[in-house]
Amino acid sequence: MGFIPMYGVAIRDAIASNDLANMEAVAEQAKQAVKEQGDLSVALLELLDAIDTLKKK
């Protein structure tokens, strides 16, 4: 199995596959992505706040 970008869809597809090996592989990839990238949802919120601040100027 190759690299799968860790979006909710990839994780949900792994769950829906009901394939334990696939689910474990995706979980490992997701853990590595979180370790490397941190919490993307927090970073997105910070970006959106910065955009709003600039639009108000």
Side-chain angles (χ1 to χ4, degrees):
M1 172 157 95
F3 175 77
I4 300 171
M6 283 301 113
Y7 300 106
V9 172
I11 293 170
R12 288 183 183 93
D13 284 351
I15 294 167
S17 76
N18 207 34
D19 176 338
L20 180 58
N22 180 42
M23 294 166 72
E24 290 174 332
V26 170
E28 285 303 314
Q29 288 181 7
K31 286 191 269 184
Q32 186 63 35
V34 168
K35 182 178 177 182
E36 292 173 0
Q37 299 176 22
D39 189 341
L40 294 178
S41 62
V42 171
L44 175 58
L45 292 174
E46 292 171 357
L47 175 60
L48 294 173
D49 285 344
I51 291 168
D52 287 342
T53 299
L54 288 174
K55 284 183 175 182
K56 291 177 183 175
K57 286 185 177 184

